[in-house]
Amino acid sequence: MPDPINPAKQRLAANQAAIGFSIRQSRTVDVAQIAKTCGYDWLFIDMEHGALDLETAAQISLAALAVGIAPIVRVPGHEHHHATRVLDAGALGIVVPHVDTAEQARRVADQCRFPPTGHRSIPGALPQLGFEAMPVAQAMAKVDAATLLVVMLETEQAIANADAIAAVDGIDVLLIGSNDLTADMGIPGQFGDAKLDRAYDVVVNAARRHGKHAGLGGIYEEKMMAHFIRKGVHFVLGGADLAFMMAGARSRASFLRSLPL
């Protein structure tokens, strides 16, 4: 069995943008192939917002493994079972929301990394390894190497603690949740504000100092996305299934309504 491959982690390691496709509305496994065909590197399977459940997240994760796009799940909270159950079911990454301190980041790493980095429980045969039986130490090392751990910084407190969070062993990405952060700053939705710009600088610099990566979430206006990517943000949430569907449907309806009868 070859080592499991995480395309998002590979692109980050190569200093390239890793582009994500957010899933909130989709409930069938073909969304994995659709996102892959459209050129995305990872799925943002969102269990924090919306009604997507564990079983559906697991099925989509398995389909994503099969087609070569990384299934990365945003869990609803900080309890260990939120993350470990989807990892056991095939996820190649976890996004944990609302991480404000290094202590919280260490807890994430402890829950999601196998020993010696953390204390994740060993589940037996894993889908990331094609359910192949292999020595436990080998299996743990292979899966850990392919797993991407992402913490979301969504408050001014989190930005102030960015350097300490980035220093935590086992954390790969510091993803700014731009909507919640601007709300916490008192500038909700004002993505061009200098306060948000400075926050991105803080996180990008902290990530670089510690060999980690900065992430962009919640901003989908193309000029603004380009601005933050130029700063050095390489883990990029490109948009959501609902927004993509509505944009395409609205464009087609507008075209059809414009035709003379």
Side-chain angles (χ1 to χ4, degrees), residues 38-207:
C38 289
Y40 290 83
D41 305 302
W42 54 281
L43 299 178
F44 184 79
I45 303 171
D46 193 355
M47 295 181 67
E48 182 191 14
H49 295 296
L52 199 149
D53 62 16
L54 174 63
E55 178 68 22
T56 304
Q59 294 297 325
I60 293 173
S61 293
L62 284 169
L65 291 176
V67 302
I69 186 170
I72 297 176
V73 179
R74 176 161 70 176
V75 295
H78 290 209
E79 293 302 318
H80 77 278
H81 58 83
H82 290 147
T84 57
R85 293 186 74 191
V86 289
L87 286 171
D88 290 351
L92 280 174
I94 294 294
V95 177
V96 179
H98 310 295
V99 173
D100 291 327
T101 67
E103 181 181 2
Q104 291 174 335
R106 280 191 289 271
R107 185 181 181 201
V108 170
D110 188 66
Q111 292 169 351
C112 297
R113 297 290 186 195
F114 290 119
T117 304
H119 291 89
R120 178 183 167 192
S121 180
I122 301 165
L126 285 162
Q128 295 93 334
L129 299 171
F131 298 104
E132 286 279 358
M134 64 178 62
V136 172
Q138 184 181 3
M140 290 192 304
K142 286 178 178 288
V143 172
D144 258 355
T147 299
L148 195 72
L149 290 190
V150 182
V151 292
M152 293 196 70
L153 280 58
E154 303 177 84
T155 64
E156 290 189 280
Q157 180 189 9
I159 301 304
N161 290 327
D163 193 75
I165 292 169
V168 173
D169 190 23
I171 299 300
D172 297 301
V173 177
L174 282 64
L175 172 61
I176 294 180
S178 303
N179 277 296
D180 282 351
L181 179 56
T182 54
D184 190 65
M185 289 175 162
I187 50 167
Q190 297 179 42
F191 301 129
D193 193 282
K195 291 173 68 176
L196 182 64
D197 208 56
R198 288 193 295 270
Y200 269 92
D201 287 337
V202 168
V203 173
V204 168
N205 290 333

Side-chain angles (χ1 to χ4, degrees), residues 5-12 18 36 40-42 68-70 92:
I5 294 173
N6 185 326
K9 199 164 187 178
Q10 285 186 328
R11 290 187 69 85
L12 291 173
K36 171 70 174 176
Y40 290 83
D41 305 302
W42 54 281
I69 186 170
L92 280 174

